[in-house]
Amino acid sequence: MSATAAPLAGDGAGGCRHLAIIMDGNGRWAKARRLPRIAGHRAGVEAVRRVVEAAPGLGLDVLTLYAFSSENWKRPADEVSDLMGLLKHYVQSEIDNLHRNGVRLDFIGNWRALKPDMVALLERARERTAGNQGLSLVMALNYGGQDELVRAARGLAADVAAGRLNADDVTAEALEARLDTAQWPLPDAVLRTSGELRLSNFLLWQSAYAEFLVTETLWPDFDAAALGAALAEFARRERRFGGR
């Protein structure tokens, strides 16, 4: 997928209203430049700024970013600390701009299990932007798709055990309504940067009929042109939803 043929603003989504992105390649970007990994993560934050700024003009209503997975805790402690510090800095430094541009910021995953000061910061950001009607920016934090499904299933099982729900009422729709993403439409497309071909435990249920988009571009190099090219590729797809 080339990043050279970006469509004009407002013309490129081709029906893609919700794009989910697995932001991959920060470490490789830094290694190629003989820089520490944190330099790649910092450059990745700049890519987030560029993409969030470009998304509304390219027709997106919802942008979901895989910011920190539940598996990322396995990384070295200093790298985890750096990632959390960058997250805090991004929210603190960008919240005014996001709010001014009508962006609604929200989070999915077990983010309330993060440190109390981080949770308080994220809660304030959610509350401040809750009434905005522009782009919904959804950040997956301490998120794992399998964990999300287990939590949803556990909630349904508890309701059945308590008599609040009949077993026959446990349907796909009922489970979907318990997912972290219930308030947003399902993603039309899932994009992964850096050329990797795996979901990495991201939006497992929600991606059942999403289009997969892959680019060799490393996340720190991703920009408005690359986003436009991805959406143009999506527009060329024929979505069949299993019908033929």
Side-chain angles (χ1 to χ4, degrees):
M1 186 174 67
S2 171
T4 61
L8 296 175
D11 293 339
C16 185
R17 315 309 300 183
H18 181 177
L19 176 67
I21 303 180
I22 301 171
M23 305 177 292
D24 194 17
N26 292 349
R28 274 167 283 176
W29 185 93
K31 184 177 180 180
R33 290 159 176 77
R34 298 184 179 180
L35 297 171
R37 286 180 66 86
I38 185 59
H41 295 314
R42 287 179 182 139
V45 170
E46 295 304 315
V48 170
R49 290 192 177 101
R50 293 193 297 267
V51 169
V52 171
E53 182 178 340
L58 289 168
L60 291 173
D61 295 327
V62 185
L63 179 65
T64 299
L65 302 179
Y66 203 5
F68 189 89
S69 80
S70 52
E71 286 78 27
N72 285 158
W73 295 110
K74 300 174 184 177
R75 296 186 178 189
D78 58 345
E79 184 175 355
V80 171
S81 179
D82 287 339
L83 288 168
M84 288 293 126
L86 285 173
L87 171 62
K88 181 180 289 187
H89 176 72
Y90 175 81
V91 174
Q92 289 175 329
S93 63
E94 291 297 307
I95 190 61
D96 288 342
N97 189 49
L98 294 174
H99 185 51
R100 184 165 51 250
N101 288 298
V103 176
R104 178 189 171 201
L105 180 61
D106 213 330
F107 310 97
I108 58 173
N110 194 17
W111 58 274
R112 289 187 176 88
L114 299 175
K115 291 183 177 180
D117 62 329
M118 180 70 79
V119 174
L121 173 65
L122 300 181
E123 287 281 18
R124 289 194 299 271
R126 289 180 75 238
E127 292 170 3
R128 184 170 180 195
T129 63
N132 291 343
Q133 300 298 312
L135 176 74
S136 288
L137 174 59
V138 184
M139 301 183 74
L141 297 173
N142 196 19
Y143 175 87
Q146 292 175 332
D147 174 70
E148 179 187 28
L149 287 168
V150 168
R151 287 187 282 109
R154 188 179 294 135
L156 290 170
D159 280 352
V160 171
R164 294 187 293 267
L165 193 68
N166 293 321
D168 290 342
D169 295 326
V170 178
T171 61
E173 293 77 14
L175 191 147
E176 191 169 295
R178 300 292 183 107
L179 297 178
D180 297 350
T181 54
Q183 63 182 297
W184 298 287
L186 296 175
D188 298 296
V190 176
L191 166 70
R192 183 162 189 150
T193 59
S194 85
E196 299 293 343
L197 302 173
R198 58 180 179 271
L199 272 176
S200 295
N201 202 16
F202 184 51
L203 300 181
L204 299 180
W205 176 282
Q206 298 89 335
S207 299
Y209 283 101
E211 296 292 318
F212 290 116
L213 304 170
V214 178
T215 175
E216 296 292 331
T217 302
L218 302 178
W219 178 249
D221 293 325
F222 202 79
D223 57 14
L227 178 61
L231 295 176
E233 179 177 328
F234 173 87
R236 291 190 290 271
R237 301 281 181 91
E238 181 182 356
R239 305 188 74 194
R240 300 180 180 180
F241 300 99
R244 55 187 170 88

